Amino acid sequence: PPLAQNPTQNPKTLAIFAKFQLTPLRIMLGFPSMELQLTPLRSLPLHYRTTTKATATATANTVSACSVESQALKPRPQLPRQAPFHSRRRSSPVHFPSLCAAIERLVAEGRHREACDALRDARAGAPFVALPASTYDALVTAASALREAGSAAGVLWHMESSGFQPDQYMWNRVLGMYLVCGMLAEAREVFDGMPTRSRVTWGVMMGGLVDAKRPRGALALFRELWEELGVGAGPRVVVVAVRAATVLGSVHAGRELHCCVAKMGMCEDQYLPCALIDMYSKCGRIDEARRVFDGIPWRSVVAWNTMLAVYSLHGRSEEALDLYHHMCESGAGLDQFTFSTMLRIFSRLGLLEHAKQIHAGLIQSGLQMDIVGNTALVDLYCKWGQMEDARHVFERMPSRNLISWNALIAGYGYHGMGSKAIEMFERLLAEGIAPNHVTFLGVLNACRFSGFIDKGKRIFQLMTQNPKTKPRAMHYACVIELFGRQGLLDEAYSVIRKSPVTPTANMWGALLTAGRMNKNIQLARLAAEQLLAMEPQKVNNYIVLLNLYMNSGKRDEALTVVSTLKRAGLSMSAACSWITVKKKDHRFFFNDSLNPKSSEIYQRLDTLMEVIKELGYVIEEDELLPDILPDEQKTLKMFHSEKLAVAFGLISTSPSAPLTINQSHRLCHDCHNVIKFVTQVTKREITVRDASRFHHFKLGTCSCGDYW
């Protein structure tokens, strides 16, 4: 219906404006004497837009009837009657070379906001003049990048008001724009109103629903398409449907789609089997995913990578390594994704040499790893003590995210390089990157391992001041151990009592370490009792309490702990240490004699013990294991697995080669002292990675400062 005498007071117009929460925009109606304050439609339905455009003529005819006499003003002199603007619209688009070229250039440069502003200028100056299809395509890209409903609605409004006739490609682009901007209802209206819909159209609509976390709606659309086209739906649309089943987590829906794939004969498609593998993996059906992989007649690098990612995601590192070897034998090309996945696998398995080979292969081939692969490489080098290599990879990364920074900061912390960890943390802040909880945990660990109490307190205070990074239990545990390292036991206990979070096992464990290292039996016993109540099945808690009593000379209480441990049916797992020599791992257990060089190992160990005793070494007698009697402890301490691994490394490598020992348990005090003396005698550098941290031994000192 025509607008009222005052167009802005028309009830229907006001209802439309209120519904879509519009913002002011001046729209020229094509008359020299009249400007009407209207608003851009955020997401105006098609029939509303058509009505608004069609009433422009009626509005023009009623301008002269407006009540100017009521304002005591003289009417404006009558101008020669002109045809309404929209009836004078040209049938073919009018090109504005400079404006259109500017819009397209801005979009190509990523300046999407400025491109949309340029459209507003064009709309204000000539709202009914069509732009070229390439310019509209650029504007759709800009609105999609901004993800703003107002910008998206403005682009389609200009298309319709100017008489531009979108083709199938442009309608698909507009549909995708609405979906990206979250305008699902308006996108469905565009979808339903399209004159023709191709398979691409269905795929765009379904993909938008999946991205909006509405997988059921996407599957419902696929059922409509299947009823309409059947096997003619096409593989790309089925891929989207499989992705919807993956997001939904419905293996039943996934199997139905798998049956559709078999009926359509699409098993040879490059992407459909990969989507099915991913679906079965996300639904926890690893064996079914492998059956799909084995059924692919020819496997692309994408298929190999997908199956590798499945094994990596579910922690099946050995199977992933076996599949990787088959991939190399098959002649399939390796890409950055392959290297990134395998770096994570090598890191878990401790295959440092394999990781170095992949890194060297990447450099030789000239391939650039993505940010995920580079970060995995930094993390791997950090975990295996290669901090110079980790820093080199980090500095050469073309781009870094917060995870990359966190990996390097945490690596420096665990290796006792607190100064470098704090240096990287301050550099991160200087570059304007906001740290998260993981960042603060890494730098607080660095302060804890290096004994930087003042810097640790300052960083913890910085964390508490930011409401987005309120400390968690793990951060309080770092502060407790930081105080304990300096002997500030009252402050350490106060942190637990005043903490806003419920004390966790990590917090009580940190207090137990503080009490044990400072020989405060009362505080350590309190912490140990709390730990035993929270984790009654954890053997290490009993072992710590046992040795605590032994250190304080309370053997009766120590034997009580041993009895409790045996009554609970708990036993220690066999401690294991291993060393890699000439790309081969050599494992050692307590009192081990299985190695072919056992006689040489024990002979070299006896010689070393005699030498270091002359330098002042005295065996530690106050540590006890629950399966070893006190009388046997002194004799058997020299047969601990880490001592055997060190002796093997000394007889199997060149005199100047550094040694790296890995072990599954915490390094005992006696072994710690022995290795310090060994580095002093042999002038070797020895790195031990135990269950809690790295120990870097050099010339009789350790990076832990004898606190671990």
Side-chain angles (χ1 to χ4, degrees):
L3 295 175
Q5 286 187 344
N6 187 346
T8 60
Q9 296 179 359
N10 181 278
K12 185 174 182 180
T13 307
L14 294 176
I16 295 171
F17 293 168
K19 177 179 178 181
F20 295 101
Q21 301 178 355
L22 309 173
T23 55
L25 172 71
R26 176 167 296 179
I27 297 181
M28 307 293 296
L29 296 181
F31 295 92
S33 60
M34 181 64 183
E35 291 183 358
L36 181 63
Q37 295 290 333
L38 295 181
T39 53
L41 305 183
R42 174 183 177 273
S43 52
L44 195 57
L46 296 176
H47 64 275
Y48 281 143
R49 300 195 197 102
T50 305
T51 301
T52 305
K53 181 181 70 176
T55 55
T57 304
T59 305
N61 292 334
T62 60
V63 169
S64 59
C66 293
S67 180
V68 294
E69 289 85 355
S70 63
Q71 304 177 40
L73 299 174
K74 294 182 179 182
R76 187 183 297 273
Q78 294 294 322
L79 298 174
R81 194 170 177 80
Q82 302 181 26
F85 190 91
H86 72 275
S87 66
R88 295 184 279 118
R89 189 190 316 147
R90 306 188 184 192
S91 58
S92 61
V94 176
H95 289 220
F96 302 100
S98 59
L99 177 62
C100 296
I103 290 176
E104 295 176 23
R105 184 180 69 253
L106 289 171
V107 174
E109 295 174 355
R111 299 157 64 182
H112 303 118
R113 176 73 61 190
E114 297 175 54
C116 290
D117 292 342
L119 173 64
R120 293 190 182 96
D121 295 339
R123 190 167 59 186
F128 303 128
V129 178
L131 303 177
S134 60
T135 305
Y136 281 126
D137 190 44
L139 288 168
V140 168
T141 300
S144 301
L146 293 175
R147 297 178 180 269
E148 291 182 353
S151 299
V155 173
L156 185 56
W157 180 90
H158 196 281
M159 286 183 184
E160 294 183 343
S161 63
S162 64
F164 177 77
Q165 297 297 326
D167 56 9
Q168 184 68 58
Y169 166 79
M170 188 57 70
W171 274 122
N172 292 340
R173 292 276 288 143
V174 170
L175 178 63
M177 173 184 68
Y178 269 10
L179 290 167
V180 168
C181 295
M183 305 163 66
L184 300 185
E186 293 79 3
R188 185 57 194 252
E189 187 176 351
V190 170
F191 178 78
D192 292 336
M194 291 174 65
T196 59
R197 292 181 293 201
S198 65
R199 289 180 297 187
V200 175
T201 309
W202 288 88
V204 170
M205 187 67 200
M206 290 168 56
L209 290 174
V210 174
D211 293 336
K213 307 301 181 186
R214 298 193 180 182
R216 295 184 186 276
L219 291 173
L221 267 183
F222 179 75
R223 281 191 287 270
E224 292 181 30
L225 177 62
W226 186 262
E227 293 172 0
E228 181 177 329
L229 298 179
V231 296
R236 296 296 173 268
V237 181
V238 182
V239 167
V240 180
V242 173
R243 192 159 64 90
T246 304
V247 174
L248 187 61
S250 172
V251 69
H252 177 71
R255 284 172 176 162
E256 289 185 347
L257 291 168
H258 194 175
C259 291
C260 292
V261 171
K263 290 178 181 179
M264 297 162 67
M266 294 182 179
C267 294
E268 295 185 2
D269 183 79
Q270 181 179 0
Y271 298 104
L272 253 177
C274 298
L276 290 171
I277 292 171
D278 183 63
M279 180 273 299
Y280 282 125
S281 168
K282 299 292 176 58
C283 294
R285 307 302 176 96
I286 312 303
D287 294 336
E288 293 185 52
R290 182 59 190 257
R291 280 196 290 271
V292 173
F293 175 79
D294 292 337
I296 301 175
W298 60 274
R299 300 176 187 132
S300 65
V301 66
V302 178
W304 287 100
N305 287 342
T306 304
M307 197 64 222
L308 283 174
V310 169
Y311 284 141
S312 176
L313 177 67
H314 292 274
R316 298 192 179 186
S317 301
E318 297 287 352
E319 294 170 82
L321 182 61
D322 183 62
L323 185 67
Y324 170 71
H325 291 318
H326 285 305
M327 181 180 182
C328 295
E329 293 171 0
S330 69
L334 309 180
D335 60 9
Q336 292 92 331
F337 189 86
T338 313
F339 292 128
S340 299
T341 304
M342 291 313 302
L343 282 173
R344 293 193 293 271
I345 299 298
F346 294 150
S347 178
R348 292 176 191 169
L349 297 176
L351 301 176
L352 181 61
E353 292 300 325
H354 288 72
K356 287 184 175 181
Q357 290 174 10
I358 278 193
H359 191 193
L362 277 171
I363 296 174
Q364 291 175 358
S365 61
L367 290 175
Q368 292 292 330
M369 259 197 311
D370 58 9
I371 192 170
V372 176
N374 277 314
T375 302
L377 193 56
V378 170
D379 183 60
L380 182 141
Y381 281 137
C382 288
K383 285 180 177 177
W384 295 99
Q386 309 289 320
M387 292 309 301
E388 292 184 5
D389 292 332
R391 182 64 176 267
H392 179 73
V393 173
F394 179 84
E395 295 295 349
R396 291 176 62 89
M397 290 175 66
S399 61
R400 311 181 188 100
N401 58 16
L402 185 57
I403 301 175
S404 311
W405 288 89
N406 290 346
L408 188 62
I409 291 173
Y412 278 134
Y414 279 109
H415 287 280
M417 303 178 184
S419 299
K420 291 187 177 181
I422 294 174
E423 173 193 338
M424 296 304 298
F425 177 73
E426 292 175 347
R427 179 176 158 188
L428 177 141
L429 297 178
E431 293 190 13
I433 303 174
N436 61 8
H437 287 89
V438 179
T439 317
F440 280 108
L441 180 62
V443 73
L444 284 173
N445 264 326
C447 295
R448 170 169 70 103
F449 288 139
S450 300
F452 297 157
I453 184 169
D454 293 332
K455 293 180 179 179
K457 291 169 64 175
R458 177 175 57 83
I459 291 171
F460 186 76
Q461 185 68 25
L462 178 66
M463 188 180 187
T464 58
Q465 292 172 355
N466 188 348
K468 294 182 179 180
T469 57
K470 287 295 183 183
R472 302 176 183 177
M474 61 188 76
H475 303 100
Y476 283 103
C478 287
V479 175
I480 291 169
E481 193 160 334
L482 185 63
F483 283 131
R485 188 183 183 96
Q486 300 298 318
L488 304 174
L489 300 184
D490 291 338
E491 289 83 349
Y493 185 47
S494 177
V495 171
I496 284 189
R497 289 191 295 106
K498 297 180 180 180
S499 169
V501 301
T502 303
T504 63
N506 287 337
M507 296 171 66
W508 286 114
L511 188 64
L512 174 59
T513 301
R516 175 174 57 84
M517 296 302 296
N518 290 278
K519 302 187 182 306
N520 188 317
I521 186 66
Q522 291 81 10
L523 187 64
R525 182 174 182 174
L526 170 65
E529 290 173 351
Q530 294 291 333
L531 275 175
L532 289 174
M534 299 175 72
E535 299 174 334
Q537 299 299 316
K538 191 171 181 180
V539 179
N540 285 344
N541 296 333
Y542 293 92
I543 303 304
V544 173
L545 185 60
L546 171 65
N547 285 309
L548 182 66
Y549 286 137
M550 289 297 300
N551 289 336
S552 58
K554 298 185 177 182
R555 296 206 166 219
D556 293 338
E557 288 84 347
L559 293 176
T560 302
V561 174
V562 173
S563 301
T564 304
L565 188 61
K566 291 181 178 179
R567 282 199 307 270
L570 302 176
S571 61
M572 290 184 61
S573 58
C576 175
S577 300
W578 65 96
I579 181 174
T580 303
V581 176
K582 297 180 180 179
K583 300 182 181 180
K584 183 179 179 181
D585 290 337
H586 300 268
R587 300 177 183 272
F588 297 90
F589 295 90
F590 176 77
N591 201 22
D592 195 349
S593 59
L594 298 177
N595 193 281
K597 295 184 178 181
S598 290
S599 59
E600 298 178 55
I601 292 172
Y602 283 104
Q603 183 178 356
R604 183 60 185 273
L605 192 56
D606 289 338
T607 303
L608 282 172
M609 297 301 290
E610 293 296 329
V611 173
I612 64 177
K613 284 179 182 178
E614 295 178 359
L615 296 177
Y617 163 73
V618 178
I619 190 170
E620 295 266 354
E621 298 185 20
D622 54 1
E623 281 190 302
L624 185 66
L625 297 178
D627 55 349
I628 301 176
L629 297 176
D631 295 338
E632 300 174 342
Q633 184 77 358
K634 183 174 181 179
T635 304
L636 296 180
K637 271 184 178 292
M638 66 177 296
F639 301 144
H640 283 189
S641 61
E642 47 265 59
K643 292 189 181 79
L644 300 178
V646 169
F648 175 80
L650 292 175
I651 65 176
S652 304
T653 59
S654 61
S656 60
L659 304 180
T660 300
I661 312 296
N662 299 284
Q663 58 186 66
S664 60
H665 54 286
R666 178 180 166 273
L667 187 64
C668 76
H669 283 84
D670 185 69
C671 291
H672 191 272
N673 288 337
V674 168
I675 297 175
K676 285 199 300 182
F677 277 106
V678 168
T679 58
Q680 183 178 350
V681 171
T682 63
K683 304 297 187 290
R684 297 261 199 134
E685 292 185 18
I686 301 177
T687 300
V688 178
R689 181 190 183 189
D690 72 357
S692 62
R693 61 166 297 161
F694 282 88
H695 299 263
H696 293 274
F697 296 93
K698 184 178 180 180
L699 299 177
T701 62
C702 180
S703 60
C704 72
D706 298 338
Y707 189 100
W708 76 102

